[in-house]
Amino acid sequence: MAHTATLTHGSFNLNARIANLIERVKENHARANEYNRTYAELQRLTNRELDDIGIRRCDIADIAREHAYCS
């Protein structure tokens, strides 16, 4: 009977770890989507529009990464 209790506790731990993994995958997917959306929106701007807001085209990837992964 003690073995069954340990097994139940172990499976709960496994279930919690799987749930945590799924949550991290969802979070990473959401961040990747946010990066792609931000990158695409900035890429669609003309050089003049980017200049108006003080962004160089070569900085778009860094800005999108900062927005998605550091905020």
Side-chain angles (χ1 to χ4, degrees):
M1 187 171 244
H3 181 67
T4 305
T6 304
L7 182 59
T8 303
H9 178 66
S11 68
F12 174 74
N13 186 29
L14 179 60
N15 289 338
R17 291 175 66 188
I18 291 171
N20 187 337
L21 174 65
I22 291 170
E23 191 60 36
R24 287 191 330 235
V25 168
K26 286 180 181 179
E27 182 178 316
N28 287 339
H29 184 69
R31 288 179 183 266
N33 284 342
E34 184 65 20
Y35 170 85
N36 290 332
R37 185 184 66 79
T38 303
Y39 183 87
E41 285 181 12
L42 290 173
Q43 277 293 90
R44 279 194 291 270
L45 297 176
T46 65
N47 288 339
R48 169 85 188 252
E49 291 168 325
L50 288 172
D51 190 47
D52 286 347
I53 59 175
I55 295 175
R56 298 178 307 168
R57 190 162 296 280
C58 64
D59 293 331
I60 289 176
D62 292 335
I63 291 167
R65 188 177 307 106
E66 178 80 21
H67 174 72
Y69 295 102
C70 298
S71 50

